[in-house]
Amino acid sequence: MSELPDADVTLDALPSDHLKMTASWEQERLFDVVVVGAGIAGLAFALRLPEQTRLALVTKGALGESNTRYAQGGLAAAVGEDDEPALHYEDTLIAGAGLCDPEAVRILVEQGPAAVDWLLAQGTAFDRDAASRLELGREGAHSRNRVLHAGGDATGFEIERALVARIRERHIATIFEHATALDLLVQDGRCAGIVMDHADTRFALRAGVTVLANGGCGQLWSVTSNPPAATGDGVAMAIRAGVTVADLEFTQFHPTVLALPGGAPFLISEAVRGEGAYLRNRAGERFMVGQHPLAELAPRDVVARAIQAQMVPDGQPSVWLDLRHLDPAEMERRFPTIARHLAAQGLSLTRDLLPVAPAAHYFMGGIDAGTDGTTSLPGLLAIGEVSCTGVHGANRLASNSLLEGLVFGLSAADRLDSVAPPATGISPARDGHRLPALPDEETHALRTELQAIMSRDVSVVRDHASLDDAEHRLREIAERIAGRAIRSVPAIELRNMALLALAMTISARNRRESRGGHYRSDYPATDPALDGMHQFVLPGNRRVFRSLAIGRQVADTAVVP
Ligand code: SIN
């Protein structure tokens, strides 16, 4: 095996404020379990716990407003008559580009059908055909039609609706809405809960088990399919607490987000291409034909790069998605949400060419976690997009994200054998001198600047020079935040975004190859020596490339004193 770049690059040069955890609060509450995040992973976990659990559910917006809600295409599971988990397994490994953890993928695909039954039992109404069989769509890199959908293209909305209704009906949790988690509480080498901001008050929620299910970080880029709350809070909290994170260099860019000049980004589901839509360039050519045997349904990283290659040479802001050859009535039935959104912009789903471009969509990296959610910090679980179980490798297969949240949310709750009593005796630190707060306008300007840096330099295609430049400019942003009181929610988010963007940029510079969502124009080939090698960021921000099993051992030895 060739020499791996076991990195000496650390975040040490960051102003130490960025690695300091919040240690002051005004009120305390005690629970058995605290779950941060109320998308499919957090809600499935919560609903599966024993009834008597004293549970707190913390969500940044109103309950029901999560990244899950915006998922259009659907949820992949091998439930079709011509399908089986072994085929789903193969497709997931191929899309993952040599970086999936095969055991995690096996659990995901094998438990998928039973997890779908559970979701149906919670009242989720997936679309059905005339014979009342579940209707199954196709998306990129799937060898079978296996994508369950609801309301045509409102799958996430329906799942979120059903799970929230169950949570409310069963009164199983104390729900903190519009509450932002700031930091983990760590005591004697265990996670002891969180510090949270709620109604302008700082709370310590102490718990025997803390679950981070607070999703992704698309807001690190200027153009994203994610809602505004997706600011990478969970991963940043983990880094500050010295929890092992992994594969930060892997972000998935969705190929087809509506790109109207001056308009807000809006996802145009891959299921649209699954129904036969074409991608065309300025000359009207189907440029994916000949680039990949699956043409428009090639893995997302392949399609996103091909689109970028069409756009870059002459500065085109988009390519075009074409449904004009498809049955208009059927397309309106399958994609009512998209059709409505387009109509509001003066576009027809089936008569117009639709301008689309890649946008940040999904984070394959995250908190290093087993399929039971366990992390390097006892008492802390991570599930869903915030975690990195290795199930997506270097590039997630379409519609495997809702499945991941569901399967690992349920299995983490099932495998939680005991809940330690919440720790007592942690006292808030005294607020010493009052630091000047970061003003709102400056917070907003820094957020916009950070997004512009990431969009230019840490995007679909990167190289050493762009990553160096990004690191330099991101450090400047970090310096400007340091020494300021982090009081408002936008300031909390900005602090998280700056830490994660830096950690991600350094990880991307460290991986000197191209693989899945991480494409380096200066290292365009995949390095076989890095097959199955994950980049772990250990406590103290030491970086190592290891296979999953060995990496977790290294992480364990690093955290146990
Ligand atoms: C889509 O509908 O294209 C997004 C679904 C996914 O990211 O898996």
Side-chain angles (χ1 to χ4, degrees), residues 286-306:
R286 279 184 66 197
F287 57 89
M288 285 310 301
V289 176
Q291 293 220 19
H292 192 281
L294 293 170
E296 279 88 352
L297 287 178
R300 283 186 184 164
D301 62 304
V302 176
V303 183
R305 277 197 303 280

Side-chain angles (χ1 to χ4, degrees), residues 72-74 139 254 267 269-271 300 361 396 398-401:
Q72 294 176 357
E139 289 186 53
H254 194 289
L267 182 68
S269 176
E270 188 156 311
R300 283 186 184 164
H361 182 61
R396 173 173 66 78
S399 287
N400 266 0
S401 56

Side-chain angles (χ1 to χ4, degrees), residues 81 127-135:
E81 280 163 18
D127 294 333
R128 293 179 180 271
D129 64 16
S132 205
R133 286 180 306 235
L134 289 167
E135 208 175 58

Side-chain angles (χ1 to χ4, degrees), residues 14-326:
L14 257 186
S16 58
D17 289 35
H18 284 272
L19 298 174
K20 222 189 259 165
M21 291 194 286
T22 312
S24 60
W25 54 87
E26 291 132 23
Q27 290 193 32
E28 279 190 17
R29 301 283 300 271
L30 230 67
F31 295 92
D32 296 322
V33 177
V34 56
V35 176
V36 184
I40 190 169
L43 295 180
F45 180 91
L47 284 163
R48 190 74 151 210
L49 287 175
E51 295 265 344
Q52 67 279 12
T53 312
R54 288 177 306 163
L55 172 66
L57 187 55
V58 175
T59 177
K60 232 174 157 184
L63 188 61
E65 173 59 42
S66 72
N67 215 349
T68 293
R69 177 191 170 100
Y70 296 92
Q72 294 176 357
L75 184 148
V79 294
E81 280 163 18
D82 64 344
D83 204 359
E84 50 185 296
L87 296 172
H88 191 182
Y89 174 86
E90 279 305 315
D91 293 345
T92 302
L93 290 190
I94 292 169
L99 206 66
C100 289
D101 174 25
E103 181 56 11
V105 177
R106 187 189 63 72
I107 293 171
L108 179 81
V109 299
E110 287 184 356
Q111 295 188 2
V116 166
D117 287 342
W118 179 87
L119 211 45
L120 290 167
Q122 306 309 307
T124 308
F126 285 117
D127 294 333
R128 293 179 180 271
D129 64 16
S132 205
R133 286 180 306 235
L134 289 167
E135 208 175 58
L136 299 172
R138 173 74 66 103
E139 289 186 53
H142 284 277
S143 58
R144 294 287 186 277
N145 281 26
R146 65 166 70 98
V147 180
L148 293 114
H149 47 84
D153 55 2
T155 314
F157 185 90
E158 169 57 14
I159 292 173
E160 191 74 19
R161 180 208 62 74
L163 297 185
V164 166
R166 290 300 265 190
I167 291 269
R168 291 211 189 276
E169 182 185 300
R170 286 179 47 195
H171 303 290
I172 58 170
T174 303
I175 300 167
F176 294 94
E177 296 179 270
H178 305 287
T180 303
L182 275 117
D183 270 307
L184 297 169
L185 275 174
V186 180
Q187 188 186 26
D188 300 333
R190 272 193 76 82
C191 186
I194 61 163
V195 180
M196 131 188 130
D197 181 277
H198 180 50
D200 288 330
T201 303
R202 292 275 154 102
F203 285 81
L205 299 189
R206 293 206 264 120
V209 173
T210 301
V211 184
L212 289 181
N214 48 349
C217 57
Q219 288 294 326
L220 265 62
W221 289 265
S222 314
V223 186
T224 176
S225 60
N226 294 184
T231 50
D233 303 340
V235 183
M237 287 163 71
I239 294 174
R240 280 194 295 275
V243 179
T244 304
V245 297
D247 292 346
L248 304 186
E249 60 274 39
F250 293 103
T251 293
Q252 181 173 79
F253 293 83
H254 194 289
T256 56
V257 169
L258 187 65
L260 284 169
F266 181 81
L267 182 68
I268 308 282
S269 176
E270 188 156 311
V272 174
R273 278 173 283 134
E275 294 290 337
Y278 298 148
L279 282 166
R280 295 192 185 278
N281 61 15
R282 198 150 66 118
E285 297 152 352
R286 279 184 66 197
F287 57 89
M288 285 310 301
V289 176
Q291 293 220 19
H292 192 281
L294 293 170
E296 279 88 352
L297 287 178
R300 283 186 184 164
D301 62 304
V302 176
V303 183
R305 277 197 303 280
I307 293 177
Q308 183 101 335
Q310 295 291 328
M311 288 162 50
V312 166
D314 44 12
Q316 286 294 309
S318 67
V319 295
W320 285 271
L321 192 64
D322 185 1
L323 287 78
R324 293 172 303 174
H325 55 291
L326 300 173

